[in-house]
Amino acid sequence: MSILQKLVEESNLQNNPIIKIKEFIDQQNELKKTQAIDKWRFVGYVLDISYSGAVIITNDTYKIAVGGIPRGSFLILVPADFEKTQPHFSLLRVNGVSATPLTQQVQQTYFEMHKRSMPELDLWTQADLQWGALQCDVLGMFYGNPQNVDKLAFSGDVNNIVSAHRYEVYAPDEKLLDLIVNGTVRSDFRQSIGKLRTMECMFGVDKQDSDNIPVNISMKDFMGCRTAMFGKTRLGKSNVVKLIAQGMIDATKEKGNVGQLIFDINGEYANDSDQDKVSLRSANSALCEVYALTSRGATPSKQLKLNFYENPSSCKDILGTFLNKDKRESVYITDFISVVLPTKEEIEEMEIGDKVRAIRRIQMYWAVLYEANFQVNENALKKLKWMRAGSTSALEPHYSDKTREKVYGKDVPAQPLSLADISGEFKALIQYYRKNGKKFVDDKGKDVLSKDDLSILNFLYPESGRGPVMLSKYKIYHSPSAGDFVTEIIDYLYQGKTVILDLGNASDEIRQYFSDLLSRAVFNKQELEFVNNNLGDRYIQLYFEEAHNLFPSQTKDNQDVYSRFAKEGAKFHIGMVYSTQSPSTISKELLVQTENFFVGHLSSSDETKALTRMQVAFEGVEEDILRTRTPGFMRMLTLSNRFVIPVQAYLYSPEKG
């Protein structure tokens, strides 16, 4: 390369971050000339090298001068004739100790030394014994982007391998470490999430240049993408989730194009506590809305309850799960649980005859709720159009006069007009059925009561047992004034707000219900906007904890809403942050599609193997993941990073907003 050509190329790179490596090597050469070994960042030479790994030879003097070389730390590999090439360097990660050609002789010397109880070594022997070798992974190469002279580029491979003696290895200083960690992170929507931490041991960390390097993330890497949080409990997963949620709020609050929906199963995002002084809601009160099953005095919230009357199909199933959980195993109870009520949409599609029978079945269910003292707004029920067969009231069962005469005899009461009336009517029907030898047919010989009708009525008016009274304990989940919170929440999300569902006092069944309901609503809304070409840059981020319940590893139904999130979420601008303790418990399909990872301590090699099978970037750091247990110490991989970054996440501690 001619001097003129080299000057032109270097002048083109003056605004490129890669120029830092030239400045670094020039500085190191000056230190070498002045024999300032204590400030020198030189680590050693290359003993062996391949496209995927390198063995470097070093000695104790070099390692002490740079403050130590922990496993997992970054080293840089440059050509020995660096001044003759364009600025670039290969990135190494220390993986372990390697044997040298003299390992056996060194061990023999140690053996002889201790056998003879030698008090000290002579200078020549010391010089020989202090040499050793380190095994390193080659992570890739940093260089100036040929298409944009102001941009840094990183490749997961290297362009060439030459003889080992033509390389030198250095420990990067703060400027280079910042380039390595943050140089490829997208410049828009940047947030700092923690500091670079190459090892758990804090002894002597003040002597390492890695102690003061902030680790940045771009919130663009999370918008519409899938993010996994893995690690044992109480080691910082939720803290990192809060940092990401806060980062998204800070980055997008002016534009308001990203809404966030957090399923808060422990109430920690919605409520302040002694442990977490300031919650996400408290820090962003103007931009957060809380929906709670049980209102907490210190936290303003909207009602997150179900109207068990107006949502009969789904709420009847929820009652069934409650009864199953409480091990209610009497025959009349299990028969009631087995009944499946038709949905509003199904009723609207029915012919008049089937529609009347379906409406009666729901009215029987209403009678059960009424007898269990579930509060009700009867005027609201009467106005439900889908519960009307013709122009009559939604509280009229529509039994024929002849059928009613069989039940009541000559003194036939007026048609029911209230829940008390229809409850009395259904009790009269089941009593007549039992007195008539459990047979009840109309004039055409058809059964008046179907099998499902009998299952509900035997629960409404059991021959023995408590019947509807046993449902009273579940009234805490019901409110007659529960509105259309789904529409409200979608509106808030489209305003760019963060909605927190406080499910801290809910059962697993209730959590599952709300998760399914709102997840489907979000997916349908975003899909509709996509089909109508109105999606633009509107994103919705979902936050799930205990994700193994939603994305099990052995899922059979790949068409549920969560599987669709994994496959189609990015297309519809739906991002997810999901947390769980074990990678092996999560759907492989979701893991393969996940772009961002934060991994804390895992205690089983089976878990690290499951992780590396789905994300090869974690190969080489498995041992560190198994050994380190410091809260907040994570191995991070994002869309902007091509290799794993060890980071000590900041503690979420904002001021109240």
Side-chain angles (χ1 to χ4, degrees), residues 332-392:
Y332 82 97
I333 298 175
T334 56
D335 286 347
F336 172 71
I337 292 172
S338 68
V339 175
V340 177
L341 296 179
T343 65
K344 168 187 172 182
E345 292 75 18
E346 289 171 341
I347 289 177
E348 289 176 337
E349 295 294 324
M350 290 178 180
E351 299 293 335
I352 186 64
D354 292 334
K355 186 174 185 177
V356 168
R357 286 185 286 274
I359 288 174
R360 284 178 188 157
R361 200 170 307 135
I362 290 176
Q363 290 169 339
M364 293 173 186
Y365 160 75
W366 282 354
V368 170
L369 296 180
Y370 178 79
E371 293 295 328
N373 290 319
F374 278 62
Q375 292 183 350
V376 61
N377 181 343
E378 292 195 21
N379 287 330
L381 294 188
K382 291 176 181 178
K383 295 176 183 178
L384 295 177
K385 293 182 179 180
W386 58 276
M387 276 293 291
R388 297 181 191 176
S391 59
T392 55

Side-chain angles (χ1 to χ4, degrees), residues 222-496:
F222 299 87
M223 292 163 58
C225 297
R226 288 133 295 207
T227 302
M229 299 279 168
F230 296 130
K232 302 293 284 185
T233 186
R234 308 306 305 163
L235 291 179
K237 296 192 301 295
S238 295
N239 180 71
V240 176
V241 172
K242 292 173 187 176
L243 292 173
I244 292 175
Q246 183 67 56
M248 192 66 74
I249 291 173
D250 293 340
T252 63
K253 59 185 176 184
E254 291 185 8
K255 195 172 183 181
N257 64 317
V258 179
Q260 301 187 103
L261 178 57
I262 301 174
F263 296 92
D264 187 3
I265 65 174
N266 295 312
E268 60 183 305
Y269 300 92
N271 306 287
D272 299 345
S273 65
D274 292 337
Q275 180 176 325
D276 303 314
K277 302 298 181 183
V278 181
S279 64
L280 186 70
R281 183 212 63 83
S282 294
N284 308 276
S285 56
L287 295 171
C288 284
E289 298 290 342
V290 175
Y291 283 77
L293 276 171
T294 304
S295 178
R296 310 195 193 199
T299 304
S301 63
K302 294 179 173 61
Q303 196 174 57
L304 183 65
K305 290 196 175 183
L306 301 166
N307 191 322
F308 277 68
Y309 287 94
E310 295 186 13
N311 300 283
S313 180
S314 57
C315 290
K316 158 65 183 58
D317 292 341
I318 290 174
L319 287 175
T321 61
F322 288 157
L323 292 169
N324 276 326
K325 186 178 180 182
D326 290 343
K327 300 187 183 303
R328 301 287 187 174
E329 297 175 348
S330 298
V331 173
Y332 82 97
I333 298 175
T334 56
D335 286 347
F336 172 71
I337 292 172
S338 68
V339 175
V340 177
L341 296 179
T343 65
K344 168 187 172 182
E345 292 75 18
E346 289 171 341
I347 289 177
E348 289 176 337
E349 295 294 324
M350 290 178 180
E351 299 293 335
I352 186 64
D354 292 334
K355 186 174 185 177
V356 168
R357 286 185 286 274
I359 288 174
R360 284 178 188 157
R361 200 170 307 135
I362 290 176
Q363 290 169 339
M364 293 173 186
Y365 160 75
W366 282 354
V368 170
L369 296 180
Y370 178 79
E371 293 295 328
N373 290 319
F374 278 62
Q375 292 183 350
V376 61
N377 181 343
E378 292 195 21
N379 287 330
L381 294 188
K382 291 176 181 178
K383 295 176 183 178
L384 295 177
K385 293 182 179 180
W386 58 276
M387 276 293 291
R388 297 181 191 176
S391 59
T392 55
S393 167
L395 296 179
E396 186 175 340
H398 294 285
Y399 287 111
S400 68
D401 292 339
K402 291 183 179 180
T403 296
R404 300 186 79 224
E405 286 174 2
K406 287 184 179 181
V407 175
Y408 294 108
K410 294 181 179 180
D411 299 324
V412 180
Q415 286 284 354
L417 295 176
S418 68
L419 281 176
D421 292 342
I422 66 170
S423 179
E425 177 121 328
F426 289 136
K427 286 181 182 179
L429 262 67
I430 190 64
Q431 286 178 293
Y432 174 82
Y433 170 80
R434 291 168 183 165
K435 289 179 181 178
N436 199 43
K438 295 190 175 182
K439 185 177 181 181
F440 191 0
V441 296
D442 60 18
D443 294 341
K444 297 179 181 179
K446 293 184 178 180
D447 290 328
V448 173
L449 300 174
S450 69
K451 181 180 178 181
D452 283 346
D453 293 342
L454 291 169
S455 295
I456 301 175
L457 295 180
N458 282 326
F459 187 84
L460 172 68
Y461 192 65
E463 295 181 271
S464 64
R466 298 174 63 202
V469 176
M470 69 178 65
L471 301 180
S472 297
K473 62 186 293 188
Y474 311 129
K475 290 189 295 184
I476 60 172
Y477 302 113
H478 165 74
S479 171
S481 60
D484 187 3
F485 61 84
V486 174
T487 301
E488 286 182 5
I489 288 174
I490 295 295
D491 288 343
Y492 282 133
L493 295 176
Y494 264 62
Q495 294 171 29

